[in-house]
Amino acid sequence: MSSPSDNTWSVEDAADHYRIAAWSDDFFAVNAAGNMAVQPLDDNSLSIDIMDVVAELRGRGVRFPVLLRFQDVLRARVRRLNSAFSDAIRDAGYKNVYQSIYPIKVNQLHEVVEEVFDAGKPYGLGLECGSKAELVATVAQLESDDTLLICNGVKDQSMLSLILSSQRLGKNVIPVMEKFAEFEDLIALADAAGATTQFGVRIRLRTAGAGKWADSGGYHSKFGISLPELMQVVAALQTSEAGHKLALLHFHLGSQISHINQLKQAARELTQIYAELISLGLPIRYIDIGGGLGVNYTGAFEEGSIQYSQQEYANAVVYAIMDVCDARGVPHPILLSESGRAMTAHHSVLVVETLGAFRKDNVDSDYAPPSEQHRLAKNLGDILQRLREAAHGAIDVDTLIEAYHDVVDIHQEASTLFSMGYFPLTQNALIERLYWSSCSAIMRHLRALQPDPMPPQFYVLQSLLVDQYLIDFSVFQSALDHWAIDQPFPIVPLERLHERPTRRALLVDLTCDSDGKITQYVSANEDKSFLELHPLQPGKPYYLGFFLMGAYQDIMGDAHNLFGRVSEAHIYGDAEEESNFWIEKVIPGAKVKDMLAQVQYSPSDLLRRMQIQVKEKIDAGALRPKRGMEILAQYEACFDDETYLVNSRTPQ
Ligand SMILES: *Cc1c(COP(=O)(O)O)cnc(C)c1O
């Protein structure tokens, strides 16, 4: 075990190891104390030690896991996106403006929407909704008549009517037609009301995206209007006297566009359509390129990862659209993008506690063999001692392989004897401990030698030796995309980063589901199936941060095993405050009764059932009435508990 004074490891090594510079976009860093820090302002002028936030929340009795929202980061992300586009527009000489649109499905939490909205005000930021509930949530927030609301998704007549009414209120609402029938419905409703309407169309382009969301665009997309249908729309508009306006053309290639070329191609394809329709006299003002601006969660450069900057993305869009417009001699439209992930991902960090670590190689260096030991345990103990006494690298590969074979033989022989009843359980348990510790010692020697290639049997051994760290959270509630689509999220210990992480860990959650674990990590290791962490210290908590959790994870989480929403803290940076921050609000996590209500249990009914059972026992004389009442009170108190563990026991 290395100590904080280990001079072969520094906080810079920790930053490299967890690839922090590659994914943090400068918002997160390791500070000199060896803790994770957030730099929430654009210019890195302020640094908040995340452990200070954790300490304050603990002091207030807030239950972990806690989702920290750094509101300044959210605001800074909105500003960065808008400046990337305004820089591109200025450099290109593009003769119109860009407006960002926040698609609330990425994170509908009211405060997130309000914060994004407020930060985006100077840039004319608008909102996007994709369902009836989202429409109801967004339409009431359009304080200014200029603020855009884009309504995507399949719409029924009640949604279309509400949209028409909000247009009559003078709001800048644009329903985007996903289907031809929707267009017919909209026009029929508008005509019946004697109103004129403006709308957009989502076009089914030839260009498809790539990667996990490839089917969001292209011919096979579930969404959009085909070119023949578009021509029907145009014909209908041209024959109508009502003055309905096609104001916007839209495409959405899908989230996390990995190749910028696809984006350029789609933008050019859509702009050709735009130019053609403009020359037919249609009053289109907006080109909306949808979402897709990627976030590089792993900081890696492998195939399929995000390898462009926001600036490159903005440049690509601005130049692609401008070039086609100039070639066709049509005016430059207002540019819209719905870059929800890019705006929200960075601002939230999930802080979880480690409840314990299960390590197989748990024979400490001060191991003293028991006085009574079987010949096999003695032999294995001797091998372990020899392996431990040798300097790393001092034993050659062949000798290590031989030692491994001996260790496996002893383990095998002990198992055989045990299953036949000739070997006591205590000795078998001892063999088990010595076996894994010997394997671990062999692996440490091998890693020092770095044989290339690694003898194949050791790959399996390496993965068997990984520790399990039990974490107080649910993958299904807090990191659904990890389970569903293998999305890796950066996970970093929040402290002890000046200390070399010597354990290889697999993080497992509280759910009774074998999928409730993290299987892919972000680190400098070639093998991403484990995360290097510190050994737990008895009596001390060990906190991990899950980073870039702000997009989708907040909202898609489900109630597997009835683990509910985690606690939340909203934090602002402030150089005037002692630790550079203040906490605006703490929202407690979901309670047991909330989760029960979701699946139609009522606490009063459950309590009544429990009362009947207790009463029966009391009546039968099997339970003292006082004890019975205590049990009922204890049961009732659990309704108000949060769903995660109350960490009354410190990790072992
Ligand atoms: C989901 C969605 C978005 C958000 O896309 P991101 O790439 O995640 O930012 C934008 N527009 C539409 C139409 C969407 O369906």
Side-chain angles (χ1 to χ4, degrees):
M1 195 172 111
S2 62
S3 67
S5 59
D6 173 2
N7 57 11
T8 64
W9 179 267
S10 66
V11 292
E12 287 77 23
D13 292 319
D16 288 346
H17 184 74
Y18 297 106
R19 305 189 56 86
I20 293 168
W23 54 257
S24 72
D25 206 10
D26 266 359
F27 287 110
F28 302 98
V30 187
N31 67 18
N35 294 348
M36 279 303 280
V38 54
Q39 301 163 160
L41 307 184
D42 277 327
D43 56 4
N44 294 354
S45 61
L46 191 79
S47 175
I48 301 171
D49 188 323
I50 299 181
M51 285 309 292
D52 284 343
V53 178
V54 168
E56 164 129 12
L57 291 171
R58 276 175 66 104
R60 295 184 183 202
V62 175
R63 294 278 161 75
F64 288 76
V66 179
L67 193 78
L68 308 180
R69 292 189 188 289
F70 293 104
Q71 309 289 44
D72 308 282
V73 174
L74 193 52
R75 303 178 73 90
R77 295 294 300 176
V78 173
R79 286 195 295 272
R80 269 187 209 184
L81 174 67
N82 281 282
S83 18
F85 272 95
S86 53
D87 288 356
I89 281 176
R90 191 196 51 230
D91 292 350
Y94 189 85
K95 293 187 198 59
N96 213 327
V97 295
Y98 163 79
Q99 287 178 273
S100 46
I101 302 293
Y102 179 57
I104 71 163
K105 81 155 187 271
V106 171
N107 194 326
Q108 299 98 335
L109 295 175
H110 196 190
E111 297 210 23
V112 171
V113 176
E114 284 191 325
E115 205 73 56
V116 167
F117 209 30
D118 190 60
K121 257 195 194 128
Y123 312 100
L125 179 138
L127 297 176
E128 186 260 9
C129 60
S131 67
K132 194 181 287 183
E134 288 186 353
L135 170 64
V136 171
T138 46
V139 74
Q141 306 201 42
L142 308 172
E143 290 157 28
S144 149
D145 286 353
D146 295 331
T147 308
L148 260 170
L149 174 61
I150 309 280
C151 308
N152 289 323
V154 182
K155 293 169 273 299
D156 64 10
Q157 299 207 352
S158 105
M159 292 167 78
L160 292 171
S161 294
L162 180 60
I163 290 166
L164 284 169
S165 300
S166 53
Q167 288 179 343
R168 295 183 97 177
L169 254 179
K171 301 294 173 191
N172 196 6
V173 178
I174 305 184
V176 176
M177 301 297 107
E178 299 267 0
K179 306 252 177 252
F180 185 72
E182 209 169 90
F183 164 73
E184 292 178 312
D185 284 350
L186 176 76
I187 297 303
L189 286 165
D191 287 345
T196 55
T197 184
Q198 64 168 352
F199 64 95
V201 287
R202 176 167 182 166
I203 310 260
R204 217 174 260 257
L205 293 179
R206 264 190 58 151
T207 314
K212 295 180 179 124
W213 289 273
D215 285 345
S216 305
Y219 284 151
H220 302 301
S221 164
K222 167 174 139 187
F223 314 100
I225 278 182
S226 66
L227 290 186
E229 288 168 333
L230 177 66
M231 297 329 291
Q232 279 179 270
V233 169
V234 171
L237 288 176
Q238 284 173 333
T239 54
S240 159
E241 305 275 294
H244 304 307
K245 291 192 183 69
L246 174 57
L248 174 149
L249 296 182
H250 169 62
F251 69 77
H252 173 68
L253 292 185
S255 224
Q256 295 285 76
I257 293 173
S258 52
H259 297 289
I260 209 90
N261 278 338
Q262 279 159 347
L263 176 72
K264 288 187 195 167
Q265 201 184 325
R268 281 195 289 263
E269 195 182 334
L270 189 80
T271 312
Q272 292 291 357
I273 297 169
Y274 161 81
E276 199 98 356
L277 297 184
I278 287 283
S279 27
L280 289 175
L282 292 159
I284 305 168
R285 284 185 294 148
Y286 301 101
I287 283 189
D288 174 0
I289 59 161
L293 172 50
V295 164
N296 192 349
Y297 289 92
T298 61
F301 283 96
E302 74 254 350
E303 177 59 25
S305 68
I306 305 305
Q307 300 178 18
Y308 51 85
S309 63
Q310 289 202 3
Q311 194 59 60
E312 181 179 353
Y313 179 92
N315 292 345
V317 172
V318 169
Y319 280 97
I321 293 177
M322 187 175 82
D323 287 350
V324 174
C325 288
D326 291 352
R328 303 284 300 251
V330 293
H332 300 168
I334 297 174
L335 297 179
L336 307 178
S337 86
E338 304 170 351
S339 313
R341 186 190 295 269
M343 284 191 256
T344 54
H346 293 71
H347 89 282
S348 68
V349 179
L350 177 72
V351 177
V352 298
E353 274 180 316
T354 309
L355 297 168
F358 173 64
R359 54 189 283 187
K360 299 187 180 111
D361 59 326
N362 57 6
V363 177
D364 294 332
S365 47
D366 55 5
Y367 165 74
S371 48
E372 290 277 311
Q373 60 173 348
H374 189 275
R375 160 186 64 88
L376 290 175
K378 164 137 190 19
N379 291 350
L380 196 46
D382 290 346
I383 295 176
L384 175 61
Q385 196 179 352
R386 279 202 298 281
L387 287 165
R388 287 207 168 149
E389 279 167 8
H392 283 175
I395 309 182
D396 62 46
V397 174
D398 287 343
T399 312
L400 288 171
I401 294 179
E402 194 181 332
Y404 178 61
H405 290 155
D406 291 344
V407 164
V408 170
D409 281 348
I410 294 175
H411 187 231
Q412 187 59 53
E413 193 181 339
S415 305
T416 311
L417 288 175
F418 181 71
S419 60
M420 296 192 309
Y422 298 137
F423 202 65
L425 180 59
T426 48
Q427 291 293 319
N428 205 28
L430 181 60
I431 290 280
E432 192 87 22
R433 293 178 63 201
L434 291 165
Y435 169 72
W436 288 113
S437 295
S438 304
C439 289
S440 164
I442 291 168
M443 282 311 304
R444 270 202 298 277
H445 280 291
L446 268 179
R447 282 206 284 275
L449 294 173
Q450 296 187 326
D452 187 19
M454 174 81 89
Q457 61 269 45
F458 293 113
Y459 280 113
V460 182
L461 186 58
Q462 184 151 291
S463 64
L464 290 178
L465 276 167
V466 166
D467 302 343
Q468 285 186 357
Y469 277 50
L470 176 64
I471 306 297
D472 192 11
F473 92 119
S474 155
V475 167
F476 306 94
Q477 173 62 241
S478 294
L480 193 73
D481 275 346
H482 184 71
W483 172 70
I485 54 169
D486 289 334
Q487 175 68 62
F489 292 96
I491 303 171
V492 186
L494 295 180
E495 55 188 335
R496 292 170 69 189
L497 291 163
H498 54 316
E499 192 185 320
R500 184 189 291 278
T502 53
R503 303 303 307 174
R504 297 176 160 212
L506 177 79
L507 304 184
V508 296
D509 77 359
L510 291 177
T511 63
C512 308
D513 189 314
S514 54
D515 273 357
K517 61 189 177 205
I518 305 288
T519 51
Q520 283 227 44
Y521 298 91
V522 176
S523 81
N525 293 325
E526 209 164 305
D527 182 348
K528 309 286 187 208
S529 66
F530 60 84
L531 186 67
E532 265 145 355
L533 294 177
H534 304 92
L536 299 184
Q537 295 170 332
K540 290 207 182 136
Y542 186 60
Y543 290 99
L544 299 175
F546 284 54
F547 291 83
L548 310 187
M549 304 299 286
Y552 298 106
Q553 308 319 302
D554 271 356
I555 202 62
M556 294 208 309
D558 76 12
H560 199 356
N561 270 148
L562 299 184
F563 287 107
R565 290 192 72 82
V566 304
S567 312
E568 255 184 54
H570 300 178
I571 298 149
Y572 288 90
D574 187 343
E576 305 282 297
E577 297 292 340
E578 195 187 334
S579 300
N580 286 347
F581 71 92
W582 58 281
I583 297 177
E584 178 217 29
K585 188 187 253 185
V586 172
I587 305 170
K591 293 186 168 17
V592 167
K593 64 179 176 203
D594 305 330
M595 300 314 291
L596 290 173
Q598 271 191 26
V599 282
Q600 287 106 39
Y601 290 87
S602 107
S604 56
D605 174 58
L606 290 170
L607 188 59
R608 193 181 49 79
R609 288 169 190 251
M610 198 70 179
Q611 277 161 345
I612 292 170
Q613 297 189 52
V614 167
K615 186 167 180 301
E616 276 172 10
K617 296 293 173 192
I618 294 174
D619 290 349
L623 190 68
R624 303 284 318 142
K626 181 161 183 275
R627 183 75 194 107
M629 293 309 110
E630 281 165 8
I631 292 172
L632 282 177
Q634 177 192 19
Y635 178 74
E636 195 175 0
C638 286
F639 287 122
D640 285 315
D641 263 1
E642 288 175 31
T643 55
Y644 295 89
L645 300 198
V646 180
N647 196 4
S648 51
R649 217 167 50 118
T650 39
Q652 331 251 307

